[in-house]
Amino acid sequence: MPGTKAVSIRSRRVGIGFAAGSALVLGAALAPAVRAGAEVTCTFNSNGVLRVDMGATTGATLSRDAAGNIDVSPWTCSHPNAPAPTVTNTRQIKVFGDDGFQSVMIRLANGGFSPGLGNERGSSDEIEMSIILGANDNDNIIVIGSSGPDHVRLGTKSSGGSPLNLPIPRINLNADESTGIDDDVTHLGVEKISVLGEAGRDNLSGEGGAGTGGPSAISLFVRGDEGGDTLVGGMSNDVVEGSAGADTIKGGQGADELDASDGVAGNDASFGGTGNDECVSDAGDAETSCEI
């Protein structure tokens, strides 16, 4: 029943990187570190391709500043035959990992990775990203939203023209586009994805659609921040957490953990979906299909 659980899902996450707090605090806790002796190669060519080979490092953070300059923290990218990478002269970002745990963080502040080099159909202009990390090393991707409303979709869609027609996990970082809807990020070798909202009414979902295909099969941690957010898991056993504001939280498929507790009675709604789902909420909040 709402408001009756003494220990919330959120408090059980303290110590493993899922503690309560803003996306920036959570992002800092989950941020990629650098191993001793790590080497990375980061290059930008005249065709508008930014390539990051992480080598032995545990990861990298992709972001942009207010002027549109792209940063690959904590590295400095060389560009001997091209200007420094920006959101207008970059067509694609390719990230390659190695053995061992690795993490790639994508920050959407300052306008995200739009418009990119070239003109895509409709309103879907953005930089395309591909992330390939080592398999079975608990590798993860972390997406941190902007200060405004973000619409992020995660899913799985076949590779199309490939002879094997393999399912490829995908992310649409600007799924509120109206025409030419497509995915922005394809990735392989990733076992976990965290999507952390900031202020604004965010729609963060692992149920697929918006160019990403069917529901995401990767374990997700989805968390909103201030604002009334819509937060949805995928096919796996996911953790979905709300925060301040009237949130709608859905687990999707799998045995999910939903936490709508924000200290305000009656403002949130949790829908467990299929599977043996655990829901934590305040008195008066709505709970549907919550078995625990």
Side-chain angles (χ1 to χ4, degrees):
M1 295 293 293
T4 62
K5 297 182 179 68
V7 179
S8 73
I9 296 167
R10 186 169 300 145
S11 65
R12 293 205 306 268
R13 295 251 162 325
V14 174
I16 60 172
F18 292 161
S22 71
L24 293 178
V25 172
L26 286 166
L30 297 171
V34 180
R35 297 190 188 111
E39 295 182 2
V40 66
T41 301
C42 181
T43 57
F44 181 63
N45 65 30
S46 57
N47 294 321
V49 177
L50 177 62
R51 174 170 176 144
V52 182
D53 291 278
M54 295 195 297
T57 181
T58 60
T61 297
L62 306 175
S63 63
R64 59 163 288 181
D65 63 19
N69 300 299
I70 296 175
D71 182 64
V72 184
S73 177
W75 318 109
T76 299
C77 296
S78 63
H79 44 95
N81 300 311
T86 70
V87 294
T88 57
N89 68 6
T90 302
R91 185 185 310 276
Q92 187 175 26
I93 299 175
K94 298 182 177 182
V95 180
F96 296 92
D98 207 337
D99 295 334
F101 168 77
Q102 292 186 310
S103 176
V104 176
M105 180 179 289
I106 302 172
R107 293 185 177 272
L108 301 181
N110 296 314
F113 292 87
S114 297
L117 179 63
N119 183 30
E120 296 185 66
R121 62 189 179 90
S123 60
S124 63
D125 291 347
E126 71 274 306
I127 297 171
E128 309 298 327
M129 301 185 191
S130 65
I131 299 171
I132 302 176
L133 306 180
N136 302 317
D137 293 317
N138 207 31
D139 299 318
N140 67 61
I141 292 174
I142 304 161
V143 179
I144 297 183
S146 68
S147 58
D150 294 304
H151 192 170
V152 178
R153 287 289 186 111
L154 303 95
T156 305
K157 186 169 65 175
S158 68
S159 52
S162 167
L164 298 178
N165 203 30
L166 297 174
I168 303 295
R170 303 169 188 269
I171 307 173
N172 189 338
L173 298 174
N174 58 329
D176 55 350
E177 55 203 352
S178 57
T179 58
I181 301 171
D182 63 355
D183 59 86
D184 309 322
V185 183
T186 58
H187 57 89
L188 293 172
V190 175
E191 285 75 43
K192 293 185 178 181
I193 300 179
S194 298
V195 184
L196 311 177
E198 284 272 332
R201 298 181 64 88
D202 300 319
N203 189 322
L204 314 175
S205 173
E207 63 184 344
T212 67
S216 171
I218 293 174
S219 178
L220 304 178
F221 173 59
V222 182
R223 187 176 191 275
D225 204 337
E226 296 180 3
D229 304 313
T230 299
L231 312 168
V232 186
M235 293 177 61
S236 188
N237 301 331
D238 305 314
V239 176
V240 186
E241 293 184 353
S243 188
D247 300 318
T248 299
I249 301 176
K250 301 179 181 181
Q253 305 175 45
D256 304 306
E257 299 181 5
L258 281 59
D259 191 341
S261 59
D262 59 2
V264 179
N267 68 329
D268 301 306
S270 298
F271 302 86
T274 60
N276 194 37
D277 305 306
E278 178 177 1
C279 299
V280 174
S281 55
D282 301 299
D285 286 351
E287 289 186 359
T288 303
S289 298
C290 297
E291 288 73 33
I292 302 175

